[in-house]
Amino acid sequence: DSGVTQTPKHLITATGQRVTLRCSPRSGDLSVYWYQQSLDQGLQFLIQYYNGEERAKGNILERFSAQQFPDLHSELNLSSLELGDSALYFCASSVRWGLYNEQFFGPGTRLTVL
Amino acid sequence: QQQVKQSPQSLIVQKGGISIINCAYENTAFDYFPWYQQFPGKGPALLIAIRPDVSEKKEGRFTISFNKSAKQFSLHIMDSQPGDSATYFCAAATPGASGSRLTFGEGTQLTVNP
């Protein structure tokens, strides 16, 4: 158990809908990362927050947004969902945002868009 | 230039054998190279990591070999065990304002037969 929690574990929804994925980092970790894992794209970095501020942005669609709250938990919002958004979404956390800080991954949320 | 190429896609090894997974990169700004292990239904977990100022790092049965001039690095699993059966991802990260976003390889599904 990495200490990172993600809810829900599974999410099934329809095209055009909006969902929110939640992540609680390990106790003491200030940095949160979101990754998407799909069969065709592999594991891809979406976005990173550090202590409430956006730190880095990757291949995140405009329909997706995220935030980190004062209690350091993070939410990833996915809107106008398409079939291709079906994937595993992982949250990871680390103590700081620097280069050599180990990222601890949560168990993921499996999103299925029908 | 941000890509990390990983091979093979799948690997079958007998118990006690050596598993070798290779990765290559183009971006010379990459400065941190971790390997992650992922079991079905779980998030990736850090296995071992190396910085480009060393050519080899060993932790137990796991060794990373790094060739900076060739821009290649590999994971060697000695005395492979059935419990090592998992998907392995190499990754790379760049320093600086981009934080520690990880760029992952495509993954290698390792099966160790008893």
Side-chain angles (χ1 to χ4, degrees):
Chain A
D1 185 0
S2 66
V4 177
T5 60
Q6 289 186 248
T7 56
K9 192 169 183 177
H10 301 279
L11 198 49
I12 301 174
T13 188
T15 55
Q17 294 299 304
R18 172 189 171 95
V19 296
T20 297
L21 313 184
R22 182 187 169 104
C23 167
S24 293
R26 293 187 322 153
S27 177
D29 284 0
L30 299 177
S31 199
V32 169
Y33 314 77
W34 286 98
Y35 292 87
Q36 180 193 58
Q37 186 174 36
S38 62
L39 282 175
D40 55 341
Q41 297 291 326
L43 254 173
Q44 289 210 321
F45 169 76
L46 295 177
I47 198 164
Q48 177 198 0
Y49 280 82
Y50 175 75
N51 204 19
E53 293 188 7
E54 182 183 304
R55 197 76 199 183
K57 217 166 186 175
N59 298 322
I60 187 166
L61 300 171
E62 285 192 12
R63 301 183 285 108
F64 296 1
S65 65
Q67 54 184 325
Q68 186 179 26
F69 294 87
D71 67 351
L72 301 177
H73 91 272
S74 178
E75 292 181 357
L76 179 67
N77 300 296
L78 315 176
S79 62
S80 303
L81 285 168
E82 302 175 359
L83 295 177
D85 298 328
S86 296
L88 262 170
Y89 291 85
F90 288 105
C91 167
S93 72
S94 66
V95 174
R96 291 179 294 275
W97 64 272
L99 179 64
Y100 303 122
N101 286 289
E102 177 180 352
Q103 293 184 30
F104 295 85
F105 282 74
T109 293
R110 182 173 293 279
L111 173 67
T112 303
V113 182
L114 300 175
Chain B
Q1 198 177 17
Q2 288 294 320
Q3 285 184 322
V4 176
K5 293 292 187 182
Q6 183 172 345
S7 63
Q9 190 174 7
S10 63
L11 180 61
I12 300 174
V13 173
Q14 291 300 117
K15 179 182 175 182
I18 302 174
S19 304
I20 302 174
I21 304 171
N22 301 298
C23 285
Y25 63 97
E26 288 296 324
N27 187 353
T28 55
F30 284 142
D31 200 35
Y32 174 62
F33 302 88
W35 285 87
Y36 279 80
Q37 180 188 55
Q38 185 179 25
F39 292 103
K42 304 287 187 182
L46 180 67
L47 193 61
I48 186 172
I50 198 168
R51 302 177 193 181
D53 53 346
V54 298
S55 60
E56 186 174 283
K57 183 175 181 180
K58 184 176 180 178
E59 288 184 2
R61 297 185 293 108
F62 301 91
T63 300
I64 300 179
S65 297
F66 189 85
N67 186 330
K68 189 173 182 177
S69 61
K71 291 183 284 186
Q72 295 176 348
F73 58 110
S74 60
L75 175 69
H76 295 235
I77 305 174
M78 311 299 289
D79 188 26
S80 298
Q81 299 296 312
D84 296 331
S85 298
T87 301
Y88 292 81
F89 293 92
C90 61
T94 52
S98 61
S100 44
R101 54 185 292 175
L102 294 171
T103 299
F104 284 91
E106 298 91 341
T108 296
Q109 189 165 348
L110 171 66
T111 302
V112 181
N113 289 327

